[in-house]
Amino acid sequence: MQEAAVSTSATSPSTPSTPPLGTPPLGPVGVWLIGARGSVATTAVAGCAAMTAGLHAPTGMVTETAPFMDRGLPTLSSLVFGGHDTTSCPLPKRAEELAAGGVLPHGLPSAVHAELAAADAEIRPGGPQPGDTRTDEQLIEAFAADIRDFVRRRGLARAVVVNVASTEPLPADDAERLPASSLYAAAALRADCPYVNFTPSTGLHHPRLADAARTSGLPYAGRDGKTGQTLLRSVLGPMFAQRALAVRAWSGTNLLGGGDGAALADPAAAAAKNAGKERVLADTLGSAPEGEVHIDDVPSLGDWKTAWDHIAFDGFLGTRMVLQTTWQGCDSALAAPLILDLARLTSRAHERGLSGPLPALAFYFKDPDADAPAALGEQYAALMDFAAQLGETGGALGAPGDLRDLGDRGVPRDRGVSVEATGRVSGRADRGPADGSPSGEAS
């Protein structure tokens, strides 16, 4: 059982002051990465530095396209990176390994070495490590303190916590301890930071965190980033439905290397990953067809993946036909621009006073928040509407969240999140000062 709740100190309210709508925030914005020394995180940090320096175009970044111009998103140059990880390999070294594997362009690690080193200096030890005797409450408080310290020292307008750690198995229903992903999610709430879960791990979806998430006044999004096979399924599923073609079976195979392949070699972790892949078919076709997705760990592939789909369907007069697809890609290069997109969009949503789940960001996820469409075209339309709303003039957008919870310079005041004696994690209404995993690979 967990310890009694740990409280946070309260402060007196201050007068809200926010920048004009449609303009970037008044200060730098933090991106706190869970799994900060993994392939996806390293690629995101290196890529952001490369684009800021004008070394590479923002290919794959939806927020750099025309509909997102003048929407008040934080600029790429304003993003400051930090995070948690349980490994010690420095980001510059990890970037060199990725360049050797063809994930990053040759010469890029040396060109952005200073930015990688700066981000690496902001990475704090994650957990729980083997032999760690701290309770869930103590771990949450330690992680939240790291995030608050990051926000305070770097003078950030706000920070967004993004989980890009390796996939963990779903927790047992009777587990007394929270999984690591949920500890980090609870820490994000306690540090008053929006949260994005780019993995299929539990995160904020744990039932013990439901009340805390609902009452936090913070926006959050997830889960499980959509980068390859499921991205294609979210396009093809609606196509079959709209053309009235009866899908009889849909089977798939994934060949993965790197940390993602190793993590998903665990059948429990693979089951968590496959749930989202199968759900998109049920949602777009109206029912789940026959067939499964198999995931194989192929270490020699490194950060690259191959996904095959075999789709059996009936045409006019029952004519039986087959569509086969092959997707070969670099997972980190596919995921990294989405991480930057999500950090910018969630930061802006926070600035505008939005709270609760962000179904308009379903475009990015296999398992999006409730009430979100499953078809990619509908998801993109919702994202475009969201972009327009973020840049509108007028009052705050959020309901129930609004700008009343903002302190000086629009910086939100701290909210406490506690693990009570019952093991339940709860949010608390009192305010504190606005001052602040397992090793992650591709998700």
Side-chain angles (χ1 to χ4, degrees):
M1 304 302 288
Q2 301 302 309
E3 294 185 344
V6 176
S7 64
T8 56
S9 59
T11 61
S12 59
S14 54
T15 303
S17 176
T18 58
L21 298 175
T23 61
L26 290 175
V29 170
V31 181
W32 189 263
L33 299 165
I34 309 303
R37 291 192 170 110
S39 298
V40 170
T42 305
T43 305
V45 174
C48 185
M51 290 183 289
T52 297
L55 301 177
H56 288 273
T59 304
M61 283 200 65
V62 180
T63 55
E64 284 294 297
T65 60
F68 293 89
M69 298 298 103
D70 301 319
R71 302 303 184 191
L73 303 184
T75 62
L76 291 173
S77 61
S78 73
L79 300 182
V80 180
F81 295 93
H84 283 114
D85 208 316
T86 56
T87 64
S88 58
C89 179
L91 283 183
K93 178 65 175 176
R94 185 73 185 109
E96 291 173 2
E97 295 172 353
L98 293 175
V103 177
L104 295 179
H106 178 73
L108 182 62
S110 58
V112 297
H113 183 277
E115 290 86 350
L116 290 167
D120 192 71
E122 296 291 353
I123 298 175
R124 300 294 178 263
Q129 297 272 34
D132 194 332
T133 60
R134 288 176 292 178
T135 65
D136 286 358
E137 167 61 27
Q138 290 170 331
L139 287 163
I140 292 168
E141 177 54 31
F143 298 154
D146 289 337
I147 301 170
R148 288 192 295 260
D149 178 65
F150 173 65
V151 172
R152 182 181 61 247
R153 286 186 299 97
R154 301 304 299 264
L156 305 178
R158 58 185 44 81
V160 177
V161 176
V162 185
N163 182 17
V164 291
S166 297
T167 300
E168 65 188 14
L170 294 174
D173 292 338
D174 59 351
E176 292 188 4
R177 300 294 299 266
L178 290 172
S181 64
S182 296
L183 297 175
Y184 290 116
L189 299 185
R190 182 171 296 189
D192 202 38
C193 292
Y195 174 79
V196 175
N197 189 1
F198 201 73
T199 81
S201 300
T202 304
L204 275 184
H205 283 73
H206 199 288
R208 296 184 202 167
L209 293 180
D211 288 344
R214 185 173 57 253
T215 61
S216 67
L218 295 165
Y220 48 88
R223 58 185 163 171
D224 199 3
K226 184 165 56 188
T227 60
Q229 185 178 43
T230 310
L231 177 67
L232 195 56
R233 287 180 168 207
S234 68
V235 174
L236 293 177
M239 178 199 74
F240 282 107
Q242 291 162 4
R243 291 297 298 267
L245 298 171
V247 175
R248 293 184 291 107
W250 198 316
S251 301
T253 296
N254 269 256
L255 306 180
L256 301 170
D260 209 22
L264 294 173
D266 179 349
K273 186 79 168 179
N274 283 337
K277 292 178 178 290
E278 295 166 358
R279 186 175 298 111
V280 69
L281 295 182
D283 289 347
T284 57
L285 296 175
S287 62
E290 294 179 2
E292 298 178 344
V293 176
H294 298 277
I295 298 178
D296 293 329
D297 177 24
V298 185
S300 62
L301 286 177
D303 202 56
W304 300 79
K305 67 179 180 182
T306 297
W308 294 315
D309 268 4
H310 183 282
I311 308 157
F313 65 98
D314 291 343
F316 189 54
L317 303 179
T319 304
R320 295 201 163 187
M321 293 175 267
V322 169
L323 172 65
Q324 297 184 55
T325 66
T326 301
W327 178 285
Q328 292 180 302
C330 175
D331 218 29
S332 295
L334 290 165
L338 310 188
I339 299 303
L340 299 175
D341 277 349
L342 286 164
R344 300 174 79 193
L345 291 165
T346 310
S347 172
R348 178 58 173 163
H350 188 215
E351 183 182 16
R352 290 298 313 273
L354 285 171
S355 65
L358 299 176
L361 299 185
F363 179 75
Y364 294 97
F365 298 107
K366 295 183 184 74
D367 186 13
D369 294 308
D371 302 321
L376 190 70
E378 295 177 26
Q379 291 173 343
Y380 184 72
L383 183 64
M384 294 301 100
D385 289 343
F386 185 65
Q389 293 170 7
L390 291 180
E392 288 176 356
T393 59
L397 296 173
D402 58 35
L403 298 182
R404 291 173 296 177
D405 280 334
L406 300 180
D408 296 339
R409 297 192 305 132
V411 180
R413 293 185 286 275
D414 182 56
R415 294 174 178 84
V417 179
S418 301
V419 179
E420 299 173 352
T422 60
R424 174 175 171 272
V425 182
S426 63
R428 296 170 53 254
D430 54 326
R431 305 287 195 261
D435 45 18
S437 153
S439 178
E441 292 294 334
S443 70

